[in-house]
Amino acid sequence: MRKRWIALIVVASVLVVLLAGAYWAGRHLFHMPTAKGVDSVVGELGGTRVLGVFAHPDDEQTVNGLFWRANEHDGAYTAMITATQGEAGHQTPVVARQDDLGDIRKAEALKNSFNLGVDEHEVWDYPDGGVADVDEEELVDRVASVMKRVRPDVVVAFWPESGATGHPDHMQMGRITELAIAQLAEEGGSYRGPDHIVYTISPTTALSIFGGEVGTFVVENQPDPEYAMSAEVGKKHEGWAIHASQANFLQEAYYLPAWLVYLLWDQEFYHVRDLEADPLD
């Protein structure tokens, strides 16, 4: 009997070591070595007013940690723009009539941002999948107008050349955000734009392995991040539950269940541009 217990203990110990090794190897896939760990990117930058500019409902899922901590830990005023209602999206699972999807996803986005503590959130009705076809001047003026009203010192956006996921709407809204900031600086009014623009960056190794051609495109067209912070994994899971029409997105896109993805991917990564030292043209 004693030998049997010893054998079980040895086997259990080996399994623990193997599981721990697999866990740390998996986490390495979602690690960005250039990124310095901080409690809050907004807090690190001294931000007090934050505006996120996104393309679709659920885009805010990429920045849960930043917005949650900006509000809860830093006491910052936080706001969001979502340019489309996501009406052309694929439901996973199907929770509504497709004709009603825009209304459903708009409500999901508003509810999720509320759950993150965001103070205000505008969801516009530009065509999902067709943001690049919208009059550029109209979009720039509208984003600039929100910036003038909110007066953010930190703006959170997509990197225009990759869009975090390679989606053309993401890339265009990143570009529009930069153009709006440049326009405000050129106008020279009482509010001349934010001090920093913060870009959400995707983990390169995991994208290279699981992201296919799109993942490779993103990796080749995004900068290295300077900052890493907690992804507030609990808020990520709550967010996908709120975004019921997209709840299975991670598993469908990357062949891994959400619980496993966030067990390994528990940080958000950001590239920061100091607009005083490096202004937009």
Side-chain angles (χ1 to χ4, degrees):
M1 181 65 72
R2 184 168 178 271
K3 289 182 178 180
R4 183 179 297 174
W5 277 109
I6 292 173
L8 288 172
I9 291 170
V10 169
V11 170
S13 299
V14 170
L15 287 174
V16 168
V17 170
L18 290 174
L19 288 172
Y23 170 70
W24 286 109
R27 285 199 81 226
H28 180 73
L29 300 177
F30 294 88
H31 175 66
M32 298 286 276
T34 62
K36 167 190 171 185
V38 296
D39 288 335
S40 165
V41 170
V42 171
E44 190 76 7
L45 299 176
T48 60
R49 299 182 71 83
V50 184
L51 173 67
V53 184
F54 306 114
H56 309 112
D58 80 16
D59 287 349
E60 76 281 354
Q61 280 290 95
T62 64
V63 293
N64 301 62
L66 185 146
F67 274 88
W68 174 253
R69 291 204 169 196
N71 185 285
E72 290 295 313
H73 295 266
D74 307 319
Y77 185 87
T78 55
M80 285 184 182
I81 294 169
T82 300
T84 81
Q85 296 183 6
E87 71 281 357
H90 168 63
Q91 297 185 59
T92 174
V94 175
V95 300
R97 293 176 291 270
Q98 189 67 26
D99 287 347
D100 296 333
L101 186 58
D103 293 333
I104 296 296
R105 295 194 69 191
K106 176 180 178 178
E108 290 171 348
L110 294 172
K111 185 177 179 181
N112 194 34
S113 64
F114 174 78
N115 191 51
L116 293 173
V118 174
D119 294 287
E120 61 171 284
H121 188 176
E122 296 186 13
V123 181
W124 297 344
D125 59 357
Y126 293 108
D128 180 12
V131 174
D133 298 325
V134 176
D135 181 74
E136 183 176 282
E137 184 177 349
E138 175 186 337
L139 270 174
V140 170
D141 285 346
R142 194 167 181 185
V143 172
S145 177
V146 174
M147 289 183 185
K148 287 179 183 178
R149 180 176 58 77
V150 176
R151 303 176 76 88
D153 44 27
V154 175
V155 167
V156 183
F158 292 117
W159 184 251
E161 281 73 36
S162 66
T165 67
H167 197 297
D169 286 354
H170 292 192
M171 296 162 70
Q172 180 68 352
M173 286 310 296
R175 180 171 175 273
I176 292 296
T177 303
E178 291 188 345
L179 291 172
I181 292 171
Q183 178 172 294
L184 290 170
E186 185 178 349
E187 288 176 356
S190 60
Y191 174 70
R192 304 192 63 175
D195 299 321
H196 297 92
I197 183 166
V198 175
Y199 302 94
T200 177
I201 301 299
S202 302
T204 56
T205 303
L207 268 184
S208 298
I209 294 173
F210 300 110
E213 291 183 6
V214 172
T216 300
F217 170 82
V218 172
V219 169
E220 292 176 349
N221 290 279
Q222 69 175 7
D224 291 329
E226 293 85 15
Y227 293 108
M229 63 172 290
S230 169
E232 294 294 343
V233 167
K235 289 296 176 184
K236 299 281 191 194
H237 287 296
E238 290 173 8
W240 288 120
I242 290 169
H243 283 286
S245 68
Q246 308 298 308
N248 295 334
F249 168 77
L250 287 177
Q251 183 163 347
E252 189 167 294
Y254 301 111
Y255 311 107
L256 298 172
W259 68 266
L260 179 56
V261 170
Y262 291 131
L263 181 66
L264 305 174
W265 184 10
D266 59 359
Q267 290 184 307
E268 293 172 355
F269 303 101
Y270 295 100
H271 171 63
V272 175
R273 184 168 185 165
D274 183 332
L275 294 169
E276 182 177 357
D278 185 19
L280 293 163
D281 297 328

